[in-house]
DNA sequence: TTGAAAGCGATACCAA
DNA sequence: TTGGTATCGCTTTCAA
């Protein structure tokens, strides 16, 4: 019942009375072994509780059978969902998954490079490391997929729609009669935020509307609360927030200031957190798991691609959906 | 600028005009090398963009420099936060992190065993694999820490308080005058739920209160909604839910049935999701990151522990905190 | 069908 | 201080 030190292939070979080559074959279901031999080896392996050493296999095979994913953190459901989708897809393809959260790291670039040495492919999300780090790793020949991040030459990228969705959101707000619109969020903080802002700007450009930008100091609830005074000072009909957390912060602060949504002020977010549903927040839903899953599948393709006929870098934008709730203006019917 | 195939230590050695042993020493800052030799090697390594092969190192050193964590999924902030705490602590200790989500797997046990072969230590959360799998892996000599899960002989365990907190929650509800209390959640679905139920039961035993158990069919929002009719049929003053999601589901369903919390019905949850704050849900807050971080630190200790003087299995229960909001009964002041 | 042996790319011991 | 080399545990030709 105890097997404190792991058995090696040599011990199995000896116990089964065969060579290590045969053990290797038998255990990997090569059809070059007699059923009886295979059985003998199986029994020996079982008795010794033998599990092949992963490093040894990787060294011999020249592959890790593992993929990595790099994200800023796991605060909020966004990244967690992406990671989950990635893990599930990778698992289905036979790969283990290594994770790396860059927030709070001393040297994210170094951490990512070290991770790169442990995997056959790497997914890198926005707001983690600079493009040159990505380029450096990709030039190694290691397959890389960028997630929710501006494309880099020669590297695959998967994103969710921002610009078009922002446009749709803008049109909905205009339909409510809102004309003084304030965007809360720092476009320079992430490509996603930048896309949302520029989409909004574009949609409003040709209309009789006025757009104000308030950057705020982060992307969380507190940042939303903190920025609220400045937002309210811009006297908006509607506040389009870069994400749900900020929107919820604004909602909280507005309420404290005696303002109600949507009667006094329309507010929208982005991400469709569970909390958004309870706050009645109009927001945008994204296919986060699909985002992660796509990355894992693309990586797998790249890994098993003959290096000779390497295809060009791929780009994909996954569709998002505006979720209308009560915070954006008075509706006859509210979707819960 | 391109280095499509990775350089090996041999190439560096050749370029620097030294032996591979010297390269190894120079790059690992051994003080057995002349500063000038070190510099020559450094330069060569840089020129070739050399990174030591991880499998080769692991094979030679006999360690992976990686830890694993096993959880059911990453839905909701609970597991995500635990994983984040784990990753951060592991990183600080120089370990990479492999993750494994068991939900949706064909053969979780096999997946966990395979993971075990890739790591120096493993954290296993509740509701993932059976005790015998854990025992089997631990008997290998691989350090294992159990998280939010009933202890297994000889294996370290870290949990958050359930029983005592449930008692505190019960007393608060009694203080509100609630006497007919229904618990929603299946105690057999997880040790946490079991602890919460038994704590509640114990606290209510000696009081003039009546406790009903409604198991429900899961732990998510929909399960809460679905179970609501049965819950309401038990005509409770208060519903103590196994977690926030179920509680939010009950809240939603109750509202649809024309009941309001807390006037008509008190509802409490567990986990303190962001959504709980916006739903005004009384709940319980747990130190989730600390849970994960503790596991990572304990594993590190075990890994660097002389096998000879192995200490006994450790147990720890981290304190939790009841968060009073408006859903549990009328208060003079509401904590937001 | 099986076995012997050559890698895979590092680490670390033993000499020099 | 440096180099030569055994070793880690497996996969995979190449012969037999």
């Amino acid at each position: 019942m105890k097997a404190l030190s792991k058995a090696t292939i040599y011990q199995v070979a000896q116990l089964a009375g065969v060579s290590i080559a045969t053990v290797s074959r038998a255990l990997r279901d090569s059809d070059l072994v007699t059923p009886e031999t295979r059985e003998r080896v199986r029994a020996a392996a079982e008795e010794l509780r033998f599990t092949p050493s992963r490093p040894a296999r990787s060294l011999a095979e020249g592959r890790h059978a593992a993929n990595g994913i790099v994200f800023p953190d796991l605060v909020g459901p966004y990244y967690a969902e992406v990671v989950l989708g990635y893990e599930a897809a990778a698992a289905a393809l036979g790969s283990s998954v290594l994770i790396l959260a860059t927030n709070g790291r001393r040297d994210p670039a170094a951490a990512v490079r070290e991770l790169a040495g442990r995997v056959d492919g790497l997914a890198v999300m926005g707001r983690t490391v600079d493009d040159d780090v990505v380029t450096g790793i990709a030039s190694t020949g290691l397959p890389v997929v960028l997630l929710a991040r501006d494309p880099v030459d020669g590297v695959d990228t998967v994103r969710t729609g921002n610009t078009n969705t922002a446009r749709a959101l803008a049109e909905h707000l205009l339909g409510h009669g809102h004309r003084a619109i304030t965007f809360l969020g720092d476009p320079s903080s992430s490509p996603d935020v930048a896309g949302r802002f520029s989409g909004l700007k574009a949609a409003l450009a040709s209309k009789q509307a006025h757009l104000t930008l308030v950057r705020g100091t982060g992307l969380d609830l507190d940042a939303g609360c903190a920025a609220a005074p400045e937002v309210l000072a811009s006297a908006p009909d509607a506040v389009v927030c870069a994400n749900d957390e900020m929107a919820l912060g604004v909602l909280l602060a507005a309420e404290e200031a005696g303002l109600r949504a949507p009667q006094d002020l329309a507010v929208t977010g982005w991400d469709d957190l569970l909390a958004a549903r309870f706050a009645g927040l109009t927001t945008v839903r994204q296919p986060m798991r699909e985002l992660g899953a796509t990355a894992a599948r693309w990586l797998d393709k790249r890994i098993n691609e003959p290096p000779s006929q390497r295809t060009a870098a791929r780009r994909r934008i996954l569709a998002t959906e505006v979720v209308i709730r009560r915070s954006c203006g008075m509706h006859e019917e509210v979707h819960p």
Side-chain angles (χ1 to χ4, degrees), chain A residues 78 162 169 182-187 189-190 192-194 196-197 200 213-215 218-220 239-248 250 267-272 283-284 286:
Chain A
Y78 184 91
N162 283 313
L169 192 57
T182 295
F183 180 84
L184 172 57
D186 186 354
S189 69
S190 94
D192 275 332
V193 177
R196 290 163 200 179
F197 177 64
L200 184 65
L213 171 63
V214 174
R215 300 194 121 85
L219 288 167
D220 58 8
V239 186
V240 174
C241 302
N243 68 14
D244 281 355
E245 291 197 63
M246 295 190 89
L248 293 170
V250 169
V267 176
T268 70
W270 208 291
D271 285 348
D272 194 28
T283 183
V284 177
Q286 306 171 80

Side-chain angles (χ1 to χ4, degrees), chain A residues 46-243:
Chain A
E46 173 115 1
E47 183 175 339
L48 266 40
R49 294 183 166 289
F50 170 72
T51 312
S53 149
R54 203 42 256 192
R57 283 190 62 166
S58 295
L59 183 55
E61 292 179 334
R63 43 186 255 99
H64 304 273
N67 286 10
I69 182 166
V70 182
F71 45 83
D73 55 47
L74 287 176
V75 178
Y78 184 91
Y79 295 111
E81 289 281 323
V82 176
V83 170
L84 202 53
Y86 184 83
E87 199 270 352
L93 296 166
S95 278
S96 295
V97 172
L98 283 135
I99 59 170
L100 172 58
T102 53
N103 272 8
R105 290 266 175 177
R106 299 179 194 174
D107 188 348
V112 172
R113 287 200 200 91
E114 128 79 26
L115 177 61
R118 299 175 162 272
V119 298
D120 302 319
L122 199 56
V124 180
M125 302 202 64
R127 305 208 296 134
T128 52
V129 288
D130 294 338
D131 283 359
D132 55 338
V133 177
V134 171
T135 307
I137 291 174
S139 74
T140 289
L142 186 79
V144 174
V145 172
L146 262 22
L147 285 178
R149 165 177 190 134
D150 282 335
V152 167
D153 258 14
V155 181
D156 296 340
T157 304
V158 196
R159 286 174 292 177
T160 52
N162 283 313
T163 318
N164 291 337
T165 309
R167 186 182 311 267
L169 192 57
E171 266 150 27
H172 184 83
L173 291 174
L174 289 169
H176 274 298
H178 304 310
R179 288 295 176 274
I181 297 181
T182 295
F183 180 84
L184 172 57
D186 186 354
S188 69
S189 69
S190 94
D192 275 332
V193 177
R196 290 163 200 179
F197 177 64
S198 69
L200 184 65
K201 192 171 177 182
L204 261 33
S206 56
K207 314 287 180 175
Q208 301 282 16
H210 181 66
L211 177 62
T212 307
L213 171 63
V214 174
R215 300 194 121 85
T217 57
L219 288 167
D220 58 8
L221 193 79
D222 291 334
C225 284
E230 189 181 346
V231 169
L232 297 178
S234 67
D237 299 330
V239 186
V240 174
C241 302
N243 68 14

